[in-house]
Amino acid sequence: MQRIQQLSRIPSRSQFRFPISPFSSAPIEPPPPLLSIGHVLHASRIFTGQDVAHYAEVTGDYNPVHLDSGFATSVAGFDKGRVVHGMLVASLFPSIIASNFPGAVYVSQDLKFKLPVYVQDEVAAQVQAINIKQIKNRYVVKFTTRCFTNEVSLAVDGEAVAVLPTLHLNE
């Protein structure tokens, strides 16, 4: 008889207080999307003369094709004037990856510079996941890397490998 009395002291369901009802009409946040093969990430930028000058100062690359429009046009044959450093343009790739996957480590990059990028050109950069391999609690991801000018002209083409702490895209 004593056992029956103890069981009757268990509170009824209506007596429980839940901080958030499991049946709430509040919207539930979907999980962040996961990177998968074929997924493309984008960024765009217009490189200014000041960007090029700062890059030259930091790297010591004072090649006049980057800094002197007259030289770039008359001597080097670049019809539209000053050319943005190729590696400055390629810096968009690790930027895209790191902004979407904080803590990512950029491991390698292969590049082919197909066309010049001129100061004030709008550059559209994209990285596309083409291989994903899990190693322990990290992901080694191979990306194609491409930059376009005028949205159609392929200026930089290559591949990169990065080690990501997660496949969840940072939004």
Side-chain angles (χ1 to χ4, degrees):
M1 214 42 162
Q2 187 177 12
R3 185 176 184 125
I4 292 173
Q5 288 175 341
Q6 287 175 343
L7 289 176
S8 67
R9 289 187 201 156
I10 296 174
S12 69
R13 186 157 179 80
S14 64
Q15 292 173 309
F16 283 110
R17 300 283 183 236
F18 295 102
I20 298 175
S21 168
F23 304 104
S24 170
S25 62
I28 297 173
E29 293 288 323
L34 291 175
L35 180 71
S36 58
I37 292 175
H39 203 130
V40 177
L41 306 170
H42 303 270
S44 63
R45 176 160 183 171
I46 295 173
F47 289 101
T48 67
Q50 189 174 16
D51 293 331
V52 171
H54 286 308
Y55 188 83
E57 187 176 324
V58 168
T59 64
D61 182 352
Y62 292 102
N63 185 332
V65 300
H66 305 301
L67 304 170
D68 181 338
S69 188
F71 182 91
T73 304
S74 64
V75 176
F78 292 109
D79 297 335
K80 296 181 184 177
R82 296 169 54 192
V83 177
V84 179
H85 297 82
M87 295 307 290
L88 178 55
V89 175
S91 72
L92 291 171
F93 304 135
S95 175
I96 292 169
I97 293 169
S99 66
N100 283 280
F101 305 98
V105 176
Y106 211 68
V107 177
S108 69
Q109 174 74 65
D110 293 320
L111 296 169
K112 292 182 182 89
F113 299 104
K114 303 285 195 172
L115 294 172
V117 173
Y118 295 97
V119 172
Q120 296 300 323
D121 275 354
E122 182 171 4
V123 178
Q126 70 179 33
V127 299
Q128 181 176 21
I130 58 172
N131 191 336
I132 300 172
K133 182 177 181 180
Q134 185 172 2
I135 299 177
K136 296 185 181 181
N137 61 344
R138 301 272 185 230
Y139 300 88
V140 177
V141 182
K142 186 175 191 178
F143 295 94
T144 59
T145 55
R146 294 188 177 101
C147 281
F148 298 89
T149 57
N150 306 320
E151 298 182 14
V152 294
S153 301
L154 181 62
V156 181
D157 190 18
E159 290 184 344
V161 175
V163 178
L164 311 181
T166 180
L167 293 178
H168 290 279
L169 288 160
N170 189 29
E171 295 185 290

